[in-house]
Amino acid sequence: MAAMTDTAAGACSLVPPDGAPLVLPAIRHVPVERHHLQDGLRVQERVLASEVPIALVFNGISHAVMMGTPLDLEDFALGFALSEGILDSAADCYGIDVTPVAASAAGLPPGMDGVEVQLDISSRCFARLKDHRRSMTGRTGCGVCGVESFAALDLDFAPLPAHDWLARVDLPTVCRAIDALSAKQVLNAQAGAIHAAGWATLDGQLHDVLEDVGRHNALDKLLGRLARSGRLGEPGFVVLSSRGSHELVRKCAKLGVAALATISAPTAMGMRMAELTGLRFWGLCRPPQAVLYAAGAGLPPLAATSPAT
């Protein structure tokens, strides 16, 4: 069978002194055997999402290794640092360098190259990070890997303020944005295993769709993109191609995102966190319908209902 081949679309690359670039593609083309009870065996080529270890290094000290798609990593690193409370604002990051690392240099099995993302951050934030640093090896975008105690879950922070525009994130607006998401999931159309996070304005127009094999990573990439472009806090909402688990709600609320719409349902903890933070939360968004799980800060609470008889 032929060997795995790569595509350079959206890839990280580094050209070392010998002139042979190390390329980490966002997707890979692989030969597979398709077995069918009636048709027998056929050799086909399939597209798979890349999943590589991404080391996040702050002022020379490694803090976390996450598994993700090697695309938009500057956005990912900044979004992760902000949503995890390492940085207070984008201004606390002075620079980001992305360097692919060969498997042999990283001590990884052959064919499992990685990426090192170096962030130069303020001395204030770095001192705080050193005080609270913990070893955290991530699975596919896991939001709580390595947490050593319940207190380390970071579930307690200031609620969101009320916004006079929040009620405009209504069913027609949410459906418009959800309808537009699939066409903007370029990598997922090829590989079928990639999550997306997009930013929608109050007219339901969808912008800045970022993709990753991890739903947390995709959201961090989007939050980083918004932070780098100075749009955090602007009217609008996040759209996710995933369920609404508590850590996704936490990341949004922590950075002032006031509304969220997810294709799948939330977890019970995700819904409760939305209620506590004042985040407007739409889930099971399957046009022409969606479910409002939390109304949002300053808006009337959801009407109490009785179980169906």
Side-chain angles (χ1 to χ4, degrees):
M1 183 176 288
M4 176 183 294
T5 59
D6 298 339
T7 176
C12 292
S13 64
L14 172 69
V15 180
D18 63 8
L22 172 62
V23 177
L24 275 68
I27 56 175
R28 293 175 180 268
H29 296 262
V30 300
V32 298
E33 292 182 356
R34 176 183 177 274
H35 293 256
H36 192 282
L37 290 175
Q38 281 77 43
D39 297 339
L41 183 153
R42 294 183 183 178
V43 175
Q44 299 178 334
E45 183 179 82
R46 292 292 177 92
V47 178
L48 300 182
S50 291
E51 185 180 21
V52 305
I54 302 166
L56 300 177
V57 182
F58 295 87
N59 289 5
I61 295 182
S62 181
H63 172 68
V65 178
M66 307 298 290
M67 298 299 295
T69 302
L71 185 67
D72 302 306
L73 294 185
E74 294 90 348
D75 293 322
F76 169 57
L78 181 59
F80 176 91
L82 288 168
S83 68
E84 294 299 320
I86 297 170
L87 303 181
D88 297 320
S89 71
D92 289 314
C93 182
Y94 304 144
I96 303 175
D97 291 318
V98 178
T99 305
V101 180
S104 57
L108 297 170
M112 294 187 178
D113 303 316
V115 185
E116 185 174 88
V117 184
Q118 294 266 1
L119 294 90
D120 181 16
I121 66 174
S122 70
S123 57
R124 182 190 75 260
C125 293
F126 185 55
R128 184 176 63 207
L129 175 63
K130 288 193 295 183
D131 287 340
H132 298 91
R133 191 162 65 93
R134 55 188 168 86
S135 175
M136 186 174 72
T137 301
R139 296 181 184 135
T140 303
C142 179
V144 295
C145 289
V147 170
E148 297 174 354
S149 69
F150 291 130
L153 285 172
D154 187 22
L155 302 181
D156 185 21
F157 48 88
L160 291 160
H163 296 288
D164 58 7
W165 51 262
L166 193 57
R168 294 170 61 189
V169 184
D170 56 12
L171 177 62
T173 301
V174 166
C175 286
R176 194 173 302 120
I178 291 290
D179 273 336
L181 183 60
S182 179
K184 294 180 178 292
Q185 292 181 255
V186 178
L187 293 181
N188 189 63
Q190 301 175 72
I194 299 178
H195 281 294
W199 178 250
T201 45
L202 296 182
D203 56 0
Q205 296 299 308
L206 193 61
H207 309 271
D208 301 285
V209 174
L210 282 298
E211 294 181 274
D212 196 279
V213 289
R215 61 188 187 278
H216 312 87
N217 297 349
L219 177 58
D220 277 336
K221 288 178 179 181
L222 176 65
L223 295 175
R225 175 71 60 85
L226 295 174
R228 294 177 75 194
S229 56
R231 286 177 289 159
L232 277 176
E234 289 187 355
F237 59 101
V238 166
V239 175
L240 293 177
S241 65
S242 69
R243 67 179 184 270
S245 50
H246 83 276
E247 66 273 25
L248 301 175
V249 175
R250 178 185 64 82
K251 284 176 179 289
C252 288
K254 193 175 187 71
L255 297 192
V257 174
L260 172 65
T262 62
I263 287 179
S264 295
T267 63
M269 190 174 184
M271 177 178 173
R272 181 57 178 154
M273 179 157 286
E275 293 171 340
L276 292 173
T277 59
L279 180 138
R280 187 167 176 83
F281 192 178
W282 288 93
L284 280 176
C285 298
R286 311 289 173 85
Q289 63 183 2
V291 177
L292 183 61
Y293 289 94
L299 295 175
L302 302 184
T305 57
S306 301
T309 57

